[in-house]
Amino acid sequence: MNASYLIIALSTAVLVSYGFDLLSSRFRTPPLLLLLLMGALLRLLTNSLNIQVPYVSPTLSTLGTLALILVVLEGGLDLDIEPDRLGLVRRTGLMALLSIVLTTLVLATMLYLLLDESYYKCLINALPFSIVSSSIAGQAVRPLSNEKREFITYETSFAAIISIMLYNFLIESDISVIGAAFGFVRDTLTMGVVSLICCFALLYLIGRINHPVKFLPIISVLLLVYAIANIYELSSLLLVLTFGLFLNNNELFIRGSLARMFKSDLFEQELDQFKNLTAEGAFIVRTFFFLLFGYATNLTSLIDTDALIVSALFLIVIFAVRWPLLRLIYPGDWRPINWIAPRGLITILLYTNIPQALKLTGFREGILTLVVILTAVLMAVGTIRYKPE
């Protein structure tokens, strides 16, 4: 393929995605839906022209991992740890944990009754569908009040970390539950220590690097440590979230002589630049991920009757669990956020990475895409009647 055509295609995709993002702020339409549609149309176009796009699956997996890292980092850089927010942290952490556990148990029970599979397999396959997407939910709460935006931001950030840890625990439980529990505690403590060391080291680099190219090497170090930790099946997203929280709340950890050692006079200005770079990087990678996911989607699988029925049952379970929890945990008017339960990046990544031996035999191909699309549609419909606060 001519390089000029490739540059035109990539640039056009970014501009179109940016236009979708602007439209979503006005019409409450999730850019995800438009990107998936655009990817599906590109699939039809390339098929009609007999153009083969290579390495779709590995590229999709890599882009998804990068997007997840940047989205979690972006969320961590937006979270403030202050005494008056400790109640919010407890509520959102409890909301994320209970929502994931209860939704997974109910979905797994339903799959167990529908399919001739073990309950263990059903648990692993149900878990990805219990996680609220931070990349999609964050766009939907823009018109809402700061309190509601903070609640969703904290909830989705905790959901990403908790879901990865539970996923690793379930995978390891195939051999031994006791061994998995021991490994879970050991790996969490190990990752906590590694995260603290990396936070201080990266903060030192931010304050000491004078080269014009400053933040990309730091992000590269973060990605490197993440990948190494992921190889050893550690909760590597914990590192990403911890680093974001550490930077945005550095005054709680870095004071006095430590501040003079680790921070420069321009630190706050550089932190703002780092936040902007992270946000724009997350936007670009997320754009190509959903575009490629739409391209890889088998359109005929979306009209499969069994897939539609199971997807509808999944939606009923998701909201049947979410609404009572919000009424119990959220202190204010919970109605504007009760529909904000989209499934996205982490759902796709976790489900597609389930080992082949643990996947359900009778599980329809289109269920994953349908749940992602339908939760985004319900989010848009459910929040459209609420005016900006």
Side-chain angles (χ1 to χ4, degrees):
M1 180 183 292
N2 190 304
S4 297
Y5 291 118
L6 181 61
I7 293 173
I8 291 173
L10 296 177
S11 302
T12 302
V14 172
L15 292 174
V16 170
S17 177
Y18 184 70
F20 289 165
D21 199 62
L22 294 177
L23 289 175
S24 70
S25 302
R26 183 172 182 180
F27 299 105
R28 309 282 185 92
T29 304
L32 157 74
L33 298 177
L34 300 173
L35 287 172
L36 291 179
L37 176 61
M38 183 178 174
L41 293 176
L42 284 175
R43 174 71 172 270
L44 296 176
L45 177 63
T46 54
N47 287 344
S48 64
L49 298 176
N50 293 321
I51 298 176
Q52 298 294 325
V53 178
Y55 309 115
V56 172
S57 295
T59 303
L60 186 64
S61 178
T62 303
L63 284 176
T65 302
L66 289 174
L68 181 61
I69 293 171
L70 291 173
V71 167
V72 172
L73 178 59
E74 183 184 12
L77 290 170
D78 287 335
L79 300 181
D80 295 319
I81 302 176
E82 298 178 3
D84 60 343
R85 282 185 167 86
L86 292 180
L88 174 63
V89 171
R90 286 193 295 267
R91 289 193 300 272
T92 52
L94 183 63
M95 178 68 192
L97 177 62
L98 291 179
S99 179
I100 290 174
V101 172
L102 293 178
T103 304
T104 299
L105 290 175
V106 177
L107 290 178
T109 302
M110 185 181 72
L111 291 173
Y112 179 74
L113 295 175
L114 292 174
L115 305 173
D116 186 20
E117 297 281 0
S118 68
Y119 194 76
Y120 171 70
K121 279 188 178 182
C122 294
L123 278 174
I124 293 178
N125 285 265
L127 176 61
F129 294 94
S130 66
I131 309 156
V132 180
S133 169
S134 57
S135 59
I136 304 172
Q139 297 166 333
V141 296
R142 289 175 185 172
L144 303 181
S145 64
N146 288 333
E147 180 185 359
K148 292 179 175 59
R149 284 201 302 270
E150 283 186 340
F151 186 91
I152 293 297
T153 301
Y154 276 80
E155 179 196 355
T156 54
S157 297
F158 283 131
I161 304 300
I162 293 171
S163 61
I164 294 291
M165 296 172 74
L166 288 177
Y167 178 82
N168 291 337
F169 175 78
L170 286 176
I171 294 295
E172 293 177 7
S173 298
D174 187 26
I175 301 174
S176 169
V177 175
I178 297 176
F182 174 77
F184 178 81
V185 175
R186 179 200 62 205
D187 294 346
T188 302
L189 293 176
T190 301
M191 205 63 235
V193 173
V194 172
S195 298
L196 288 177
I197 295 174
C198 288
C199 285
F200 279 99
L202 292 175
L203 182 63
Y204 183 82
L205 290 177
I206 291 176
R208 292 294 178 271
I209 295 179
N210 295 319
H211 194 275
V213 180
K214 183 171 190 174
F215 298 116
L216 285 179
I218 292 172
I219 293 179
S220 298
V221 172
L222 187 65
L223 294 176
L224 176 64
V225 178
Y226 173 92
I228 294 173
N230 197 50
I231 290 174
Y232 291 96
E233 298 183 348
L234 299 174
S235 301
S236 42
L237 270 186
L238 183 62
L239 163 67
V240 179
L241 181 61
T242 301
F243 180 60
L245 288 170
F246 185 85
L247 282 185
N248 200 47
N249 302 274
N250 62 88
E251 65 280 354
L252 298 178
F253 312 101
I254 307 296
R255 299 178 180 180
S257 58
L258 286 178
R260 291 190 294 272
M261 179 185 302
F262 286 95
K263 294 168 61 177
S264 66
D265 296 335
L266 300 176
F267 177 79
E268 296 301 329
Q269 178 181 346
E270 291 173 338
L271 180 59
D272 289 337
Q273 294 175 359
F274 185 69
K275 288 181 179 180
N276 292 334
L277 177 64
T278 302
E280 295 194 5
F283 172 81
I284 291 175
V285 178
R286 187 170 60 236
T287 291
F288 289 112
F289 173 81
F290 285 120
L291 190 64
L292 196 58
F293 182 68
Y295 181 88
T297 299
N298 181 4
L299 296 180
T300 58
S301 67
L302 302 183
I303 57 176
D304 180 84
T305 303
D306 290 339
L308 289 168
I309 292 174
V310 174
S311 300
L313 292 174
F314 273 33
L315 293 182
I316 292 172
V317 171
I318 288 170
F319 291 104
V321 172
R322 182 170 180 79
W323 293 341
L325 287 178
L326 275 176
R327 295 191 67 173
L328 289 173
I329 295 174
Y330 190 75
D333 182 11
W334 53 273
R335 291 173 300 170
I337 60 175
N338 64 357
W339 293 101
I340 301 177
R343 271 49 182 168
L345 261 173
I346 195 164
T347 295
I348 297 169
L349 284 177
L350 286 186
Y351 181 77
T352 53
N353 285 326
I354 294 175
Q356 192 62 39
L358 295 177
K359 288 191 174 181
L360 298 174
T361 303
F363 200 81
R364 293 294 188 266
E365 178 186 351
I367 295 175
L368 175 64
T369 306
L370 282 171
V371 171
V372 171
I373 292 174
L374 292 176
T375 51
V377 170
L378 284 176
M379 179 185 68
V381 173
T383 59
I384 199 168
R385 55 184 168 177
Y386 293 101
K387 298 180 180 179
E389 301 179 15

